Structure formats: C-alpha cells, structure tokens
Amino acid sequence: MARMRARTRRGRLRGLPGAAELRRRIGIDEASRRLLLYFIVPTWVGAGLADWWCHRRTNIERTAGLRESVIHALMMTEGGVPAMLGLFFEVNAGVLGVTLANLGLHQATAVWDVAYADGRREVTPTEQHAHGMLEQVPVMATAFLVGLHWDQARALLGVGAERPDFDLRRKQRALPRRQLRTVLAAVGAFVAAPYGEELWRCYRYRGAGEQVEPGEQADPGERGGS
C-alpha cells in the first residue's frame, strides 16, 4: 500500500514545474526510510542481542554484576531515545541536537562499560565485535540524519540562512502502522526484554549475595537460575 501511494505521488508530479526535483526528493526520502528500517535498525537490534548473549554466557550476574547491567541499560536508552524521535517526529535542529548529544553520551558510556568489565569478567572476541557494531551503528544513523537534514544541521551550529527549528512535531508522512508496529515489537522483544531480563537476573543474584569477587570468573556450568 505504501509503495502504491509513493507511485501515485510520483505520477501526480509529472508535468508540474520543478517535478524532477520533487521526484528526486521523494525518492531520497523513501530510500532513507528503507535504509533505516531494513539495515540500521536490524543491525542495531541484532548486535544488541548478540551482546546480551555474550553477557549471559560469561555469567555477568556473578561477575561484573548489577552495575555493569545498569550501564548496558543506560547505553540502550541513549541509543533508543534518538531512534524513537526519528520514528515519530520531524527531524529538525532540536531532534538533531538530541541525537548528537546522545551519540556523545553513548560513546563515553561504551568506554566506561568496557573499563568496568575489564578484570571482572571475560570479554570474548565475539563480544568485542558486537561492541564495535553497537558503537558504529549510532554513528552511521547520526551521520545519515545530518546529511539528510543538512540545512537544519548547519542552523544548529548557527551557520547558513535557515533558522534552527526546535519544535517537536509529529511526522507529516508517518510510517505505515504495520511497519511501525513491527519495529516497536522487534525492539521490545529483542532489546528491551533481554536487557530487562539481564537486569533482573543481576539484581536477584546481588540480593542473594552470590556475586563472585572481582577478577574471579564463575564456572559457566555453575550458573544458577539461568
């Protein structure tokens, strides 16, 4: 249905003054949505799920414990806030500002995460690769948004003739409801639920007083309640 509407819009534009430029912009907008929905979001979700599995295999609840799990939840929030803004609201200087700020916080928190985990539990090569993906996907998404909304990005820095727009407005061309439900369901099932489970598992082990000493790696075969 969305594809048919896009074709209809392009058909109506033919023959109008400036139609070629309008068709080009619509084409860029549609290509951008496809890239964000079918590459960037799935890559972020998949890398996050792989990272969670690595934490589970190395007994995070009995090694680095609750504090590292809270750091993970913080990073997912720092990545999720700009993603939700981009899904529901028009991208302007305000949304770009929040996105850039969260990117900086996310990168700093990622450094904190690895520094805290080092010496408390094993960080495998697979997990390090997942970390690399989780750090670079927000960079790609942010660079992509800045490039698509270059005038507002420049306005945010006080450059150019356009004034920065900080109003929060719902998207004029919202995602189809089915696509939106699919994205939200995927994020809930493969990001929020696993990391919520990790947080609860670490909290439970901390409450039971079963966390091992820093630097002592628990035996995977002895993981209780997993």
Side-chain angles (χ1 to χ4, degrees):
M1 183 64 69
R3 189 174 298 175
M4 291 177 63
R5 287 198 296 266
R7 288 175 179 171
T8 301
R9 284 195 301 271
R10 285 196 293 266
R12 290 173 181 171
L13 289 174
R14 289 191 174 90
L16 295 176
E21 175 63 16
L22 289 175
R23 286 199 304 271
R24 186 186 69 82
R25 291 193 178 191
I26 289 175
I28 290 174
D29 186 51
E30 291 169 358
S32 303
R33 289 188 178 209
R34 286 194 294 270
L35 183 60
L36 286 168
L37 286 175
Y38 302 124
F39 177 72
I40 290 180
V41 171
T43 301
W44 179 61
V45 170
L49 190 62
D51 195 39
W52 166 81
W53 179 246
C54 290
H55 303 161
R56 188 176 180 87
R57 285 181 61 85
T58 54
N59 289 333
I60 185 174
E61 68 272 22
R62 302 186 66 184
T63 51
L66 182 62
R67 181 175 295 182
E68 191 190 358
S69 186
V70 170
I71 295 173
H72 296 157
L74 178 60
M75 283 192 291
M76 288 300 166
T77 302
E78 290 164 351
V81 167
M84 292 300 105
L85 287 175
L87 280 174
F88 291 101
F89 299 97
E90 293 289 343
V91 178
N92 55 21
V95 171
L96 289 173
V98 172
T99 300
L100 289 166
N102 273 268
L103 176 63
L105 288 171
H106 183 273
Q107 299 302 90
T109 308
V111 174
W112 178 25
D113 173 41
V114 175
Y116 184 79
D118 185 35
R120 290 180 168 85
R121 67 177 179 87
E122 180 187 7
V123 181
T124 65
T126 299
E127 183 177 348
Q128 292 176 30
H129 184 66
H131 286 174
M133 296 296 292
L134 287 170
E135 289 176 27
Q136 295 310 313
V137 168
V139 174
M140 287 190 295
T142 302
F144 193 64
L145 285 178
V146 168
L148 283 174
H149 304 276
W150 185 243
D151 289 339
Q152 279 295 294
R154 295 182 68 203
L156 181 64
L157 299 176
V159 179
E162 192 166 317
R163 299 187 63 177
D165 182 2
F166 296 101
D167 292 338
L168 198 60
R169 292 189 300 275
R170 294 293 296 268
K171 278 188 175 297
Q172 293 182 358
R173 294 184 57 239
L175 286 176
R177 290 185 179 181
R178 187 174 68 175
Q179 285 187 337
L180 192 57
R181 285 196 297 265
T182 300
V183 171
L184 294 178
V187 172
F190 301 117
V191 178
Y195 281 90
E197 182 272 341
E198 176 185 290
L199 198 62
W200 169 248
R201 185 159 31 97
C202 291
Y203 177 78
R204 185 187 62 189
Y205 269 78
R206 182 181 184 181
E210 298 186 39
Q211 186 169 320
V212 301
E213 291 298 321
E216 179 185 350
Q217 181 68 40
D219 183 358
E222 296 178 356
R223 182 174 62 242
S226 306

